[in-house]
Structures are given as structure tokens and as C-alpha cells.
């Protein structure tokens, strides 16, 4: 997916998601393996409320592919779950 489309797809209706996804896109996404990049594209098709709940550890996605990319985002944006 071209960078411009990724940028606009990562701009969401919630400021909180913009603050998570845009730095992730800039700093982490370029070095992801292709499979994880494709998972990110799939993530961008999800609803904002779902993504926000996943990122703040309120819920987890049922889809294992989405869970993997959510875990990567959490680990690289300071949103990992404290145990």
C-alpha cells in the first residue's frame, strides 16, 4: 500500500488513535515484515472504537492476525499491558 494512503488511513476520527497510529506508521511500520504490514492494513479497516479498546487493553481482537499487530503497536507505543 502506498505511503500516502497509509498516512490517511492512519488518520482516524479520534485524536487518541492519531497519537498512537501516526508515530507507529512513521517509526515502526517501515521495518515490519511484509506479513505484519498486511496485518496493519487489515487493522486500518476496523472501527475506531474497537481499535481504541484494543490499544488500551480493555479488549482483545478475536482475530489472531489482528491480535498480532495490536500487540506490536502496544509494544512500540508505550501501551503494553503492565503485569
Amino acid at each position: 500500500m502506498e505511503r500516502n494512503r497509509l498516512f490517511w488511513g492512519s488518520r482516524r476520527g479520534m485524536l487518541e488513535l492519531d497519537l498512537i497510529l501516526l508515530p507507529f506508521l512513521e517509526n515502526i511500520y517501515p521495518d515490519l515484515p511484509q506479513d505484519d504490514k498486511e496485518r496493519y492494513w487489515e487493522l486500518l479497516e476496523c472501527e475506531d472504537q474497537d481499535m481504541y479498546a484494543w490499544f488500551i487493553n480493555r479488549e482483545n481482537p478475536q482475530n489472531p492476525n489482528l491480535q498480532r499487530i495490536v500487540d506490536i503497536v502496544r509494544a512500540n507505543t508505550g501501551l503494553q499491558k503492565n503485569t
Side-chain angles (χ1 to χ4, degrees), residues 4-70:
N4 195 38
R5 285 184 62 200
L6 279 171
F7 173 79
W8 288 107
S10 298
R11 297 267 336 253
R12 308 305 292 198
M14 295 177 64
L15 176 61
E16 295 86 351
L17 289 178
D18 289 352
L19 294 174
I20 294 167
L21 294 175
L22 293 175
F24 180 84
L25 178 64
E26 183 72 27
N27 300 314
I28 306 303
Y29 177 85
D31 295 326
L32 290 176
Q34 185 63 31
D35 289 348
D36 288 334
K37 287 181 178 181
E38 291 173 16
R39 288 180 181 101
Y40 186 76
W41 306 342
E42 185 179 352
L43 178 70
L44 294 180
E45 295 176 12
C46 296
E47 296 291 328
D48 288 358
Q49 299 86 349
D50 293 334
M51 280 196 283
Y52 184 67
W54 297 336
F55 292 147
I56 65 168
N57 293 294
R58 186 180 305 145
E59 298 175 10
N60 288 308
Q62 297 298 314
N63 179 326
N65 284 325
L66 287 176
Q67 182 64 58
R68 175 166 169 75
I69 194 63
V70 165

